[in-house]
């Protein structure tokens, strides 16, 4: 028997994998395809010779083969959507001398009436689930869940796992990360997975509310409390979030006098509306987010240390896009489909040179900037494949060339000026809209416009 395996190993291998109805793929330790059987190639309508050596994410949608190689953990009977149909996938790590050398994937697929009935049933259940999910969103205000966070990087997958662990508790969570990394998506996800998921999710953008109005927005006011107060008064964000979650976005921009009152609300569980005679009890969970170094703000006496420790019970750090290059391709594909569907323009793919540029670019605006770049390219292109020439000017290869005499400060300022100028043009001069697209506060945006004389 040993001599048969030695002499006919390749033939036996091809006979076993090549003639089965199931779809088989094998990847190496880097996630590149080493083998794909005829059934899989026929189903995906790809050339068997051309797929060898390509990264599995470039050939199979929603694949997790490269992640199994990284984790070394098998995934059995996982539901995977490919070309509109749901398949049952097995993924098994391959080891040699105790080391992971690749992974084998098997998709259970046969073009039978039974499978079609089962697939239709799955789609019907998912549509029903989506209906219930939309109803929940309308009731509590939380739009996103962990499923909306598209990623294939180990860093984000580990972060999702951490979110699942802390969500069910009532502890305060501080989400930290650069602008555009998706901090708000994680805040929504925590609420969705918590015991408060059926209660309100209320967001406060601390950077967008004028300082003199922030107290009224947070704690509300009574009728006649001040000139211009609405008849009947107004509930504040704390009162509206009672029983649910209050998301304090860009909390580093909150003025000191408001920080004092928020600290009291967290310590005592009560708030006092402007003009009120007595305080009101509130029960809220706090999720805060910031892209600023709060420790430095504390040293500069611009942020209260006691409030910092109140909101920083559990800290979540969202890594920037440049630190998770594995996500760039999968995010680009997802965002291309999302933007194309919204605009009503059919764009199938990116040219490989575009992918290469995306990998080299630093993405100071992170995922938000990536989406804006793709949306701009979809509008500008006349083809069904995005080319380099379709990309906005600030990301073009020649704009990234570093001049020998340019300092880091000059390069950063030049990139910032180009981004602001492009957004103003896109927003047709609407500064508030341009600031929103860039993910910065209006006051900060106006200062930069003045600085660069735009």
């Amino acid at each position: 028997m040993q001599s048969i395996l030695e002499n006919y190993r390749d033939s036996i291998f091809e006979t076993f994998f090549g003639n089965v109805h199931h779809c088989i793929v094998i990847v190496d330790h880097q996630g590149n395809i080493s083998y794909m059987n005829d059934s899989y190639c026929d189903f995906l309508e790809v050339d068997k010779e051309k797929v060898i050596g390509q990264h599995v994410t470039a050939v199979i949608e929603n694949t997790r083969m490269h992640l199994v190689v990284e984790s070394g953990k098998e995934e059995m009977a996982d539901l995977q959507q490919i070309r509109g149909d749901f398949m049952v996938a097995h993924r098994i790590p391959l080891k040699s001398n105790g080391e992971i050398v690749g992974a084998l994937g098997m998709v259970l697929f046969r073009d039978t009436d039974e499978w079609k009935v089962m697939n239709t049933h799955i789609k019907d259940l998912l549509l029903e689930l989506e209906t219930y999910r939309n109803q929940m969103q309308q009731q509590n205000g939380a739009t996103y869940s962990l499923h909306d966070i598209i990623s294939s990087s180990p860093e984000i997958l580990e972060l999702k796992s951490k979110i699942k662990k802390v969500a069910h508790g009532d502890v305060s969570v501080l989400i930290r990360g650069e602008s555009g990394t998706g901090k708000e998506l994680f805040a929504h996800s925590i609420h969705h997975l918590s015991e408060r998921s059926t209660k309100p999710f209320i967001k406060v953008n601390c950077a967008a509310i004028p300082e003199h109005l922030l107290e009224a927005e947070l704690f509300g006011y009574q009728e006649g409390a001040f000139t211009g107060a609405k008849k009947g008064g107004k509930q504040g964000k704390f009162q509206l979030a009672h029983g649910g979650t209050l998301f304090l976005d860009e909390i580093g921009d909150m003025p000191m006098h408001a920080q004092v009152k928020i600290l009291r609300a967290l310590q005592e569980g009560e708030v006092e509306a402007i003009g009120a005679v007595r305080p009101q009890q509130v029960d809220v969970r706090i999720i805060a987010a910031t892209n600023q170094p709060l420790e430095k703000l504390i040293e500069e006496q611009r942020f209260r240390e006691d409030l910092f420790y109140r909101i920083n019970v559990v800290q979540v750090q969202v890594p920037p896009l440049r630190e998770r290059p594995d996500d760039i391709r999968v995010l680009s594909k997802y965002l291309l489909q999302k933007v194309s569907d919204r605009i009503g323009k059919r764009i199938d793919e990116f040219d490989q040179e575009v992918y290469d540029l995306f990998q080299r670019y630093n993405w100071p605006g992170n995922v938000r900037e990536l989406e804006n770049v793709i949306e701009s390219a979809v509008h500008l292109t006349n083809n069904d494949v995005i080319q380099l020439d379709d990309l906005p000017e600030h990301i073009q290869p020649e704009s990234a060339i570093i001049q020998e005499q340019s300092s880091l400060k000059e390069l950063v300022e030049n990139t910032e000026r180009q981004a602001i100028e492009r957004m103003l043009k896109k927003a047709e001069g609407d500064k508030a809209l341009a600031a929103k697209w860039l993910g910065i506060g209006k006051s900060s945006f106006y200062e930069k416009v003045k600085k660069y004389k735009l």
Side-chain angles (χ1 to χ4, degrees):
M1 177 62 71
Q2 183 65 30
S3 62
I4 293 177
L5 291 176
E6 289 177 349
N7 295 333
Y8 304 105
R9 181 178 56 188
D10 292 342
S11 299
I12 292 173
F13 180 86
E14 184 61 36
T15 299
F16 182 76
F17 289 128
N19 294 323
V20 296
H21 290 290
H22 302 316
C23 298
I24 306 291
V25 64
I26 297 176
V27 301
D28 62 18
H29 67 287
Q30 294 180 327
N32 297 321
I33 296 175
S34 298
Y35 174 82
M36 182 178 284
N37 71 349
D38 292 336
S39 293
Y40 217 159
C41 290
D42 292 342
F43 175 62
L44 296 177
E45 297 178 355
V46 296
D47 188 306
K48 190 173 184 178
E49 300 299 326
K50 291 182 179 179
V51 299
I52 303 302
Q54 291 193 47
H55 196 270
V56 67
T57 56
V59 180
I60 305 172
E61 61 181 304
N62 301 315
T63 184
R64 292 179 52 83
M65 291 292 293
H66 56 305
L67 301 178
V68 170
V69 173
E70 293 172 0
S71 68
K73 298 178 181 179
E74 69 176 29
E75 298 180 353
M76 305 301 290
D78 183 47
L79 203 61
Q80 180 178 347
Q81 187 176 24
I82 306 176
R83 302 188 67 182
D85 286 327
F86 291 92
M87 317 293 177
V88 177
H90 300 326
R91 307 180 190 98
I92 304 169
L94 301 176
K95 299 181 180 180
S96 178
N97 297 324
E99 294 185 0
I100 304 296
V101 296
L104 180 145
M106 178 183 295
V107 175
L108 308 182
F109 171 79
R110 294 192 181 203
D111 190 16
T112 63
D113 292 337
E114 289 83 0
W115 177 259
K116 290 179 180 178
V117 171
M118 177 181 167
N119 199 38
T120 301
H121 183 57
I122 292 173
K123 288 181 178 179
D124 183 53
L125 289 175
L126 290 175
L127 286 172
E128 184 177 355
L129 180 62
E130 184 66 19
T131 300
Y132 290 133
R133 181 183 170 189
N134 290 335
Q135 290 175 356
M136 286 291 292
Q137 290 173 0
Q138 292 173 5
Q139 290 176 8
N140 63 26
T143 307
Y144 307 105
S145 70
L146 282 181
H147 297 289
D148 295 303
I149 302 172
I150 309 300
S151 174
S152 62
S153 69
E155 295 87 353
I156 296 298
L157 294 176
E158 184 178 342
L159 191 53
K160 285 185 176 183
S161 178
K162 183 176 182 178
I163 292 296
K164 292 176 183 177
K165 292 177 183 177
V166 304
H168 64 85
D170 246 1
V171 296
S172 298
V173 180
L174 176 62
I175 306 174
R176 309 184 79 160
E178 296 178 7
S179 178
T181 51
K183 298 186 291 296
E184 184 174 344
L185 272 68
F186 284 99
H188 284 244
S189 300
I190 293 170
H191 177 75
H192 265 307
L193 295 173
S194 73
E195 300 298 320
R196 298 173 178 264
S197 60
T198 59
K199 300 297 183 179
F201 176 87
I202 303 297
K203 174 187 173 182
V204 179
N205 188 332
C206 302
I209 303 174
E211 185 173 339
H212 65 284
L213 295 178
L214 187 59
E215 189 174 338
E217 283 292 321
L218 288 173
F219 310 114
Y221 55 81
Q222 297 291 310
E223 181 178 344
F226 51 84
T227 304
K230 290 182 180 179
K231 186 177 181 180
K234 179 183 176 181
Q235 284 191 312
K237 301 297 186 182
F238 268 89
Q239 292 94 326
L240 292 172
H242 180 65
T245 302
L246 182 64
F247 175 42
L248 299 174
D249 197 12
E250 304 299 349
I251 195 170
D253 292 316
M254 180 173 289
M256 290 292 285
H257 70 86
Q259 292 179 32
V260 175
K261 294 206 169 187
I262 282 186
L263 182 62
R264 179 189 173 190
L266 298 182
Q267 289 175 332
E268 308 297 333
E270 62 182 29
V271 296
E272 189 170 332
I274 298 174
V277 178
R278 61 180 65 87
Q280 178 181 352
Q281 292 292 316
V282 289
D283 170 28
V284 298
R285 180 188 192 173
I286 295 293
I287 300 176
T290 184
N291 60 3
Q292 297 195 54
L294 296 183
E295 294 85 352
K296 184 177 179 181
L297 296 183
I298 292 171
E299 291 178 4
E300 297 171 353
Q301 296 186 344
R302 294 164 56 196
F303 198 86
R304 293 185 62 95
E305 187 174 12
D306 44 8
L307 177 59
F308 173 73
Y309 289 120
R310 276 283 175 179
I311 63 174
N312 192 36
V313 179
V314 173
Q315 186 173 136
V316 172
Q317 185 75 39
V318 184
L321 188 57
R322 63 180 172 275
E323 292 181 7
R324 41 189 176 105
D326 292 347
D327 280 348
I328 291 177
R329 180 179 287 271
V330 65
L331 272 170
S332 297
K333 285 188 172 183
Y334 168 77
L335 292 172
L336 178 61
Q337 182 177 353
K338 174 185 173 183
V339 171
S340 299
D341 290 344
R342 185 175 71 242
I343 295 175
K345 196 173 181 180
R346 180 175 177 179
I347 311 294
D348 297 326
E349 186 56 275
F350 297 94
D351 185 81
Q352 185 57 45
E353 288 186 333
V354 173
Y355 278 127
D356 294 340
L357 177 60
F358 282 0
Q359 290 287 343
R360 295 193 304 269
Y361 186 64
N362 199 41
W363 298 112
N366 293 291
V367 181
R368 184 183 293 116
E369 183 183 8
L370 176 61
E371 182 170 6
N372 288 339
V373 165
I374 291 173
E375 183 170 356
S376 175
V378 170
H379 278 289
L380 292 173
T381 189
N382 293 319
N383 306 306
D384 56 2
V385 176
I386 300 293
Q387 308 289 335
L388 278 178
D389 291 342
D390 300 320
L391 301 178
E393 290 182 4
H394 83 280
I395 198 177
Q396 292 286 350
E398 58 269 19
S399 69
I401 297 175
I402 298 178
Q403 303 296 328
E404 291 184 5
Q405 301 302 318
S406 296
S407 66
L408 177 60
K409 181 181 179 182
E410 289 171 337
L411 288 168
V412 170
E413 288 182 343
N414 186 50
T415 301
E416 187 175 63
R417 182 190 60 77
Q418 289 180 350
I420 293 173
E421 191 174 26
R422 180 172 58 87
M423 280 303 170
L424 277 172
K425 184 177 180 181
K426 181 181 175 183
E428 298 179 347
D430 188 333
K431 292 184 176 65
L433 182 59
K436 179 181 178 182
W437 283 343
L438 285 171
I440 61 177
K442 287 186 288 185
S443 58
S444 176
F445 183 81
Y446 293 147
E447 289 176 3
K448 293 179 186 296
V449 168
K450 183 179 180 180
K451 174 183 176 182
Y452 298 121
K453 300 178 180 179
L454 297 176

